Amino acid sequence: MVSEIYEFLEKLETSTRAMIDGVGDLCQKKWRSVKKFNYLGEEGEEFLEASNFLDGDLIESFLDLSRNMMDQVSERIGVSVEELCERVEELKRLHCLVVFKT
C-alpha cells in the first residue's frame, strides 16, 4: 500500500476511533490487540497492540457517525466530509468486491 494512502487511512481510523465507543467495555485498541504469550506458549496478562494494521470495519464506521462527529473528524484530518465519505464508500465497494469474489 502506498504510504500516503496508509497514512491517510491511519489518521481516519484514529480520528474515528475517538468518536465511537468500543465493543463491550473494551476500547477499540484493546479489541484489536492480541494476548501476549511467553516462550513456553503460556498465556500472559499483557496485550500487544496491533501495529501496521488498518481496521476496515472501524474505517467504514465513519459513515455511521452523526454529521457533527463527521465534521470533527474532517477538521482533525483536514479533508472535507464529502471527500471522506466518497473515499470510504469507494473502499467499502472494493471490500465488497473482494469478499464476493473469493
Side-chain angles (χ1 to χ4, degrees):
M1 180 178 292
V2 179
S3 64
E4 286 178 5
I5 296 170
Y6 180 85
E7 288 172 13
F8 166 77
L9 292 173
E10 187 175 44
K11 285 180 189 176
L12 177 57
E13 178 185 36
T14 301
S15 297
T16 301
R17 182 185 298 119
M19 297 290 130
I20 63 170
D21 296 325
V23 177
D25 289 333
L26 294 175
C27 68
Q28 185 67 24
K29 277 188 170 188
K30 193 165 184 178
W31 171 252
R32 292 296 188 191
S33 64
V34 293
K35 225 170 192 191
K36 190 175 181 179
F37 289 82
N38 67 17
Y39 68 97
L40 296 174
E42 297 165 338
E43 193 174 301
E45 294 301 316
E46 295 180 59
F47 285 85
L48 297 173
E49 199 174 292
S51 61
N52 298 322
F53 170 82
L54 292 170
D55 187 341
D57 292 333
L58 180 58
I59 291 169
E60 286 181 8
S61 72
F62 170 79
L63 299 172
D64 299 327
L65 296 177
S66 68
R67 178 59 191 222
N68 182 41
M69 290 179 168
M70 285 182 172
D71 288 337
Q72 291 177 45
V73 170
S74 170
E75 287 176 25
R76 286 182 178 185
I77 298 175
V79 177
S80 72
V81 171
E82 292 73 23
E83 184 178 341
L84 287 173
C85 288
E86 287 175 16
R87 292 176 79 172
V88 174
E89 284 287 350
E90 180 62 23
L91 289 171
K92 197 171 181 180
R93 279 190 291 277
L94 290 172
H95 179 241
C96 287
L97 289 173
V98 170
V99 169
F100 288 118
K101 203 165 193 178
T102 57

